[in-house]
């Protein structure tokens, strides 16, 4: 019998309870060859790896090609709950077990139910996209500030701007996009999808054949008008863009691997710097300049718009038909001697943001940016 989402979660939780009594850790002896299941590639096989595999198997996160190979612990060509359970059964823990929050579980269930409706209509399933989830999280907290959420406006200005400006602000590139919203005190995921399917405009988004990625967020806000708020964003992106987050992480892994060889501490990915880098990636598609923005102001104004920061920062850009891969971006960036001197010579920089824009039909196609700062 086919397991439901809740069956899988229950099975996953049970497996954690069985194996969490062991206290030692399994460490990979070679930094170059990872143990099967070590998807975070830190040399330690633990419950965090199992949770990453579980989240990937239900579409909540994306993994790089190398991580997918590592996650396929039984070598059957698929990454699923069996791989996650295999890691749990062979790993031993030294930290508290991670678990799904209610918000994550609700979001996953909405995607599962929407994909069930798409399957009935003969459509391909939607994949969960991390960037759209982040955009949906912003939108879901904006909904209580809006009088009529059916207008799909934002709460800035007298009338509000259109909802999709959140995608433009974050530098998310898409061919087509749509949004479903809902608010109710006691809606379950089943309730909200049922109501959306009963509405022609919402149903059109769920069953749009062009959409291939989605992001969902649910939040319960005390003392608000409706309590529970839901937002789901749909988009059609090229195959290159679907793996964008995984490639960004892979690029950072490559940078940190080189820093480790030189005895330097690892750089930490920062969400604020990511948003700055995304803005700059969008800007350099119209003005390829690492010093100034399209309006002539210094590039770091994009940073100061996001955070009140006056420490040392650096910014690097590259472009070209490099397939949007971490390998291509890494080679392009490290060809810049100024960047390699900064990134691979000192511990002064601790945080990094990575931006990427794909312009369909553009001869350069892919635009990448890196923003580095000290702690702030």
């Amino acid at each position: 019998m086919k397991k439901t989402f809740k069956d899988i979660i229950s099975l996953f939780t049970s497996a954690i309870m069985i194996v969490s009594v062991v206290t030692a850790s399994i460490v990979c002896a070679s930094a170059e060859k990872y143990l099967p299941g070590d998807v975070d590639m830190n040399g330690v096989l633990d419950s965090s790896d199992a949770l990453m595999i579980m989240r990937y198997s239900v579409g909540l996160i994306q993994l790089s090609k190398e991580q997918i190979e590592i996650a396929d612990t039984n070598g059957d060509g698929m990454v699923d709950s069996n791989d996650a359970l295999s890691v749990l059964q062979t790993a031993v823990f030294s930290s508290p077990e991670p678990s799904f929050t209610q918000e994550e579980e609700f979001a996953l269930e909405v995607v599962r139910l929407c994909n069930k409706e798409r399957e009935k209509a003969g459509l391909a399933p939607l994949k969960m996209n991390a960037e759209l989830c982040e955009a949906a999280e912003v939108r879901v907290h904006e909904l209580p500030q809006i009088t009529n959420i059916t207008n799909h406006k934002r709460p800035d200005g007298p009338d509000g701007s259109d909802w999709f400006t959140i995608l433009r602000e974050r530098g998310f590139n898409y061919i087509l996009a749509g949004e479903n919203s809902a608010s109710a005190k006691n809606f379950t995921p089943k309730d909200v999808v049922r109501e959306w399917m009963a509405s022609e405009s919402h149903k059109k988004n769920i069953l749009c054949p062009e959409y291939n990625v989605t992001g969902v967020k649910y939040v319960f806000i005390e003392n608000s008008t409706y309590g529970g708020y839901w937002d789901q964003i749909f988009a059609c992106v090229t195959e290159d863009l679907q793996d964008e987050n995984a490639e960004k992480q892979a690029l950072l892994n490559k940078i940190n691997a080189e820093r480790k060889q030189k005895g330097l501490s690892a750089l930490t990915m920062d969400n604020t710097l990511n948003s700055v880098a995304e803005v700059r990636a969008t800007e350099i598609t119209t003005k390829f300049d690492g010093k100034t923005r399209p309006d002539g102001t210094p590039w770091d104004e994009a940073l100061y718009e996001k955070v009140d920061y006056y420490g040392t920062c650096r910014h690097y850009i590259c472009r070209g038909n490099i397939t949007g891969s971490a390998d291509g971006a890494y080679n392009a960036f490290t060809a810049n001697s100024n960047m390699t001197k900064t990134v691979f010579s000192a511990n002064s920089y601790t945080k990094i943001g990575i931006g990427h824009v794909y312009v369909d039909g553009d001869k350069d196609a892919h635009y990448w940016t890196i923003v580095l700062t000290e702690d702030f």
Side-chain angles (χ1 to χ4, degrees):
M1 181 177 68
K2 186 177 181 180
K3 291 184 174 63
T4 66
F5 173 81
K6 290 187 179 295
D7 290 333
I8 293 173
I9 297 301
S10 177
L11 181 61
F12 183 62
T13 305
S14 298
I16 290 178
M17 294 174 64
I18 291 171
V19 297
S20 62
V21 294
V22 191
T23 57
S25 343
I26 296 177
V27 179
C28 178
S30 171
E32 297 179 355
K33 186 175 181 180
Y34 299 99
L35 286 171
D38 183 18
V39 275
D40 59 12
M41 302 164 74
N42 68 350
V44 179
L45 193 64
D46 57 22
S47 58
S48 296
D49 296 304
L51 185 59
M52 285 180 69
I53 295 173
M54 192 65 175
R55 286 177 170 166
Y56 172 79
S57 71
V58 295
L60 183 61
I61 65 171
Q62 298 178 34
L63 300 176
S64 68
K65 291 180 181 178
E66 187 176 9
Q67 287 176 307
I68 292 172
E69 291 179 3
I70 295 170
D72 182 15
T73 59
N74 56 15
D76 64 356
M78 297 184 295
V79 176
D80 53 27
S81 58
N82 291 327
D83 297 300
L85 292 172
S86 175
V87 171
L88 284 170
Q89 290 163 0
T90 57
V92 287
F93 306 121
S94 59
S95 60
E97 301 82 5
S99 62
F100 287 94
T101 64
Q102 184 189 56
E103 292 180 356
E104 287 177 328
E105 187 173 343
F106 274 19
L108 285 169
E109 182 70 351
V110 165
V111 176
R112 188 188 72 82
L113 292 171
C114 285
N115 281 337
K116 187 175 180 180
E117 295 296 337
R118 289 175 67 88
E119 184 180 7
K120 292 177 186 177
L123 301 174
L126 298 166
K127 293 183 178 180
M128 194 78 102
N129 179 279
E131 289 183 276
L132 290 186
C133 286
E134 291 173 1
E137 184 166 21
V138 173
R139 287 289 294 143
V140 82
H141 284 93
E142 291 180 347
L143 296 181
Q145 307 172 48
I146 303 169
T147 304
N148 183 3
I149 68 171
T150 62
N151 289 335
H152 296 279
K153 296 287 186 178
R154 303 188 67 188
D156 53 333
D159 299 315
S161 56
D162 289 321
W163 75 270
F164 54 77
T165 57
I166 185 64
L167 301 183
R168 292 179 178 175
E169 288 175 4
R170 305 181 74 83
F172 183 80
N173 292 277
Y174 59 93
I175 300 170
L176 185 69
E179 179 187 55
N180 283 354
S181 300
S183 58
K185 289 187 179 297
N186 299 307
F187 264 14
T188 65
K190 186 176 181 179
D191 294 329
V192 74
V193 173
R194 183 186 65 241
E195 291 298 315
W196 282 341
M197 287 298 293
S199 163
E200 281 303 315
S201 60
H202 295 85
K203 179 180 178 180
K204 185 177 179 180
N205 277 335
I206 293 174
L207 300 184
C208 177
E210 286 81 13
Y211 291 147
N212 51 17
V213 291
T214 189
V216 184
K217 280 295 177 179
Y218 162 77
V219 66
F220 183 84
I221 302 176
E222 293 283 355
N223 302 318
S224 62
T225 303
Y226 294 102
Y229 293 86
W230 303 78
D231 192 78
Q232 181 172 17
I233 298 177
F234 306 82
C236 171
V237 299
T238 66
E239 201 65 34
D240 279 333
L241 295 178
Q242 292 187 46
D243 296 327
E244 184 173 354
N245 283 333
E247 294 300 335
K248 288 180 181 178
Q249 185 60 54
L251 174 58
L252 177 57
N253 290 344
K254 286 178 173 293
I255 291 173
N256 280 336
E258 181 69 18
R259 285 175 63 87
K260 183 177 181 180
Q261 286 189 2
K262 297 182 181 300
L264 303 175
S265 59
L267 295 170
T268 301
M269 189 84 84
D270 182 85
N271 287 334
T272 299
L273 293 185
N274 276 340
S275 65
V276 174
E278 288 293 341
V279 169
R280 287 295 295 136
T282 301
E283 292 178 347
I284 63 174
T285 63
T286 57
K287 183 183 180 182
F288 191 72
D289 187 336
K291 295 181 179 180
T292 60
R293 307 177 74 181
D295 62 2
T297 57
W299 79 265
D300 53 11
E301 288 298 320
L303 173 62
Y304 303 141
E305 287 174 1
K306 300 286 185 179
V307 61
D308 185 19
Y309 177 74
Y310 296 96
T312 304
C313 55
R314 288 288 185 272
H315 171 246
Y316 302 96
I317 63 177
C318 70
R319 65 181 175 184
N321 189 16
I322 51 179
T323 70
S325 69
D327 287 338
Y330 182 79
N331 292 337
F333 275 124
T334 53
N336 183 331
S337 59
N338 289 330
M339 177 188 157
T340 55
K341 181 179 179 180
T342 301
V343 177
F344 301 135
S345 64
N347 272 326
S348 56
Y349 295 98
T350 57
K351 295 185 177 181
I352 188 172
I354 300 175
H356 171 250
V357 167
Y358 171 77
V359 182
D360 192 21
D362 189 310
K363 65 180 180 66
D364 289 315
H366 296 273
Y367 295 78
W368 289 84
T369 59
I370 283 178
V371 176
L372 297 168
T373 70
E374 299 169 334
D375 279 329
F376 57 82

